[in-house]
Amino acid sequence: GTSGGTTLNGTDVNPVQANGVFAHLDKLRKALRSNDTAAITSSAEGMDDDSSRAIRVRGATGARVKDFDDRQQRLADQNVATQSLLSSVEDVDMAGAITQFQTLQTALQASYLTTSKILDQSLLDFLT
């Protein structure tokens, strides 16, 4: 290039080409105006890659949204279960619960007593 005073005139020897859907659309527009079939094919391939990338991102986003919805549903289910358990604990009939506890404790003691009597037998007791 040339220079004059504080101005440099020249061409860019290493131009930066942007990748992406808009760059590929601009490249396609220019290729269609100049009737360049190779550039049209190249920009169409780039747009196909852009479409594939958008589909992958959309799929990953959909999977994340589904995971988030599933977690929300599990939390809602756990909240319902917790409220149900809390309600059953708060609304318990104390007299009925005490009676049921005493009955179960008596049955457990009877089971222990029976087991100890069975295990306390000797071989002679078993044979007779």
Side-chain angles (χ1 to χ4, degrees):
T2 62
S3 65
T6 60
T7 305
L8 291 174
N9 295 321
T11 58
D12 190 358
V13 294
N14 191 14
V16 176
Q17 292 186 358
N19 284 328
V21 65
F22 295 115
H24 291 125
L25 284 172
D26 185 50
K27 185 178 176 183
L28 178 63
R29 181 182 58 88
K30 289 177 184 175
L32 288 171
R33 285 190 177 167
S34 65
N35 201 20
D36 183 2
T37 57
I40 292 172
T41 303
S42 173
S43 62
E45 289 171 355
M47 289 174 54
D48 188 42
D49 292 342
D50 294 335
S51 174
S52 297
R53 188 170 41 252
I55 289 170
R56 280 193 310 272
V57 168
R58 186 173 182 188
T61 303
R64 287 182 183 149
V65 167
K66 175 148 180 24
D67 183 48
F68 179 74
D69 288 342
D70 290 345
R71 288 180 188 203
Q72 257 185 330
Q73 185 61 42
R74 279 195 304 264
L75 284 174
D77 292 345
Q78 288 175 353
N79 284 340
V80 168
T82 302
Q83 289 296 329
S84 174
L85 179 63
L86 185 60
S87 175
S88 69
V89 167
E90 289 176 345
D91 298 338
V92 70
D93 175 27
M94 290 304 270
I98 290 170
T99 304
Q100 185 180 9
F101 176 74
Q102 296 260 337
T103 304
L104 290 173
Q105 189 175 19
T106 303
L108 182 64
Q109 287 175 348
S111 172
Y112 285 157
L113 184 63
T114 304
T115 304
S116 72
K117 294 245 184 213
I118 290 172
L119 293 177
D120 196 27
Q121 291 181 351
S122 67
L123 182 61
L124 206 51
D125 292 333
F126 182 73
L127 292 174
T128 57

